[in-house]
Amino acid sequence: MFITLEGPDGSGKTLQIHLLEEFLTARGYKVFCGREPGDTFIGEQIRQVLMDHQNKNMHPRTETLLFCAARAQLVEEVLKPHLERGDIVLLDRYADSTMAYQGYGHQFDLDLIRSLLHFATGGLRPNLTFLLDVDPQTGLERRQKGGGEWNRMDAYVLQYHQRVRQGYLEMAQADPQRWKIVDASRQPDVVQSELREILLSYLSNLS
Ligand code: TMP
């Protein structure tokens, strides 16, 4: 089973995904937990290029292709082998991030981005996607206060991040079977309880 966590910057995905990993592992599931872009030797190098402040003049099309390149490698090298073994794959961002950030954020043709994503992923889609929803102002303030990595992408103007959030909400509302929207402006333990509850009910419906 393939589960992704998505959301605007500062939505707390990284903490939440590690707590979910612990929770599932303690219940005896074999879990692979990863992040995008990265988690392959090639992908980590691409991540550095994407996040580097020195690459201020990177064109949004270059940026889009780099995210897709890192993802293509991850799918083949890591995700498919884990899924074939029957592991649960938990991923911090995936193709929906490119739809939200590059498609909606940079206002590219969404059908073109969809085709590009299909090519990059070979059509591999998550079974379940959590949208950790938070308004961009709160998210970006959280990131600055938290002292986390402040990257080239965070420096985009607030309107860009607002389009990203709207894009996420639109995608989630269009496919409620796959997407579950969770209000991430609440305390982390409250968010985690809701994620676990949804996940357990999803897993029990499968068995
Ligand atoms: P992170 O902070 O969740 O690790 O994500 C890194 C940044 O990269 C974040 O600002 C979102 C952005 N991003 C995209 O713009 N497109 C993508 O396809 C992915 C995976 C991330």
Side-chain angles (χ1 to χ4, degrees):
M1 172 161 18
F2 182 16
I3 303 164
T4 55
L5 262 75
E6 295 282 353
D9 295 63
S11 57
K13 286 177 296 82
T14 309
L15 168 67
Q16 297 298 342
I17 204 166
H18 288 301
L19 294 172
L20 278 185
E21 179 189 15
E22 271 174 35
F23 174 71
L24 289 171
T25 307
R27 271 171 176 65
Y29 291 100
K30 259 203 105 228
V31 181
F32 167 80
C33 183
R35 70 162 181 187
E36 269 222 14
D39 270 331
T40 63
F41 183 63
I42 294 171
E44 289 296 338
Q45 293 173 80
I46 296 175
R47 182 183 181 92
Q48 301 238 315
V49 174
L50 277 163
M51 303 302 161
D52 193 338
H53 282 288
Q54 289 180 38
N55 291 332
K56 276 196 183 64
N57 65 347
M58 185 183 295
H59 192 279
R61 281 204 300 276
T62 315
E63 179 187 293
T64 306
L65 292 167
L66 286 173
F67 279 116
C68 286
R71 183 167 305 127
Q73 191 64 29
L74 184 71
V75 166
E76 295 305 322
E77 199 179 310
V78 180
L79 303 188
K80 279 188 183 169
H82 277 286
L83 291 168
E84 277 157 18
R85 260 180 255 144
D87 299 347
I88 293 187
V89 169
L90 274 180
L91 204 59
D92 185 345
R93 299 197 180 282
Y94 186 59
D96 298 308
S97 282
T98 304
M99 280 300 290
Y101 283 82
Q102 281 65 51
Y104 288 89
H106 290 310
Q107 299 176 296
F108 283 143
D109 179 331
L110 296 179
D111 284 334
L112 262 180
I113 301 291
R114 246 179 239 115
S115 308
L116 183 62
L117 288 171
H118 189 77
F119 175 72
T121 60
L124 179 67
R125 286 163 58 85
N127 304 100
L128 177 66
T129 298
F130 289 108
L131 170 56
L132 269 61
D133 182 47
V134 71
D135 83 83
Q137 183 80 50
T138 311
L140 293 171
E141 277 168 15
R142 263 191 195 169
R143 256 176 98 104
Q144 276 172 317
K145 274 197 209 126
E149 161 193 43
W150 183 255
N151 62 53
R152 193 184 60 83
M153 312 290 303
D154 293 322
Y156 286 135
V157 293
L158 190 60
Q159 290 96 302
Y160 169 86
H161 290 282
Q162 270 152 356
R163 288 197 296 275
V164 171
R165 184 197 190 191
Q166 281 315 312
Y168 270 133
L169 288 170
E170 229 174 81
M171 290 191 283
Q173 279 150 8
D175 185 3
Q177 276 285 98
R178 170 163 75 92
W179 288 84
K180 306 294 165 208
I181 304 176
V182 173
D183 174 2
S185 66
R186 298 167 299 168
Q187 289 301 310
D189 56 329
V190 180
V191 174
Q192 180 63 203
S193 305
E194 189 173 339
L195 292 174
R196 288 180 182 186
E197 202 179 301
I198 297 170
L199 190 53
L200 282 183
S201 109
Y202 187 87
L203 291 170
S204 68
N205 283 341
L206 292 180
S207 53

